[in-house]
């Protein structure tokens, strides 16, 4: 990603009939890449961050490594 860009991450909670499919998103380095409650990542500064999604039920996680470069 380049500084200023956004990208939408999506989660898939299984099984399909799970009673609670809610998740939370977080970034390991919010100054490089932030993520909102719906998984929209915004590149803020050059560097690296790990975006994690965690299920409310069971605390299962998945990570996405984000690399942000400058616009040049």
């Amino acid at each position: 990603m380049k500084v200023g860009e956004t990208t939408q991450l999506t989660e898939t909670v299984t099984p399909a009939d799970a009673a609670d499919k809610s998740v939370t998103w977080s970034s390991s380095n919010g100054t490089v890449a932030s993520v909102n409650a719906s998984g929209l990542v915004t590149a803020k500064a050059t560097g690296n961050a790990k975006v994690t999604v965690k299920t409310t039920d069971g605390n299962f996680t998945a990570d996405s490594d984000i690399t942000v470069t400058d616009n040049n």
Side-chain angles (χ1 to χ4, degrees):
M1 295 180 70
K2 293 187 184 292
V3 173
E5 290 182 340
T6 61
T7 190
Q8 181 67 53
L9 299 179
T10 57
E11 79 286 345
T12 302
V13 178
T14 57
D17 63 349
D20 185 354
K21 291 186 176 185
S22 60
V23 299
T24 56
W25 294 90
S26 61
S27 172
S28 66
N29 190 345
T31 59
V32 170
S34 63
V35 61
N36 70 10
S38 63
L40 182 68
V41 177
T42 301
K44 295 181 156 190
T46 59
N48 297 298
K50 183 177 290 189
V51 173
T52 301
V53 61
K54 180 170 71 170
T55 63
T56 302
D57 184 17
N59 292 321
F60 297 102
T61 61
D63 299 320
S64 294
D65 292 320
I66 305 294
T67 300
V68 179
T69 59
D70 62 24
N71 291 325
N72 295 331

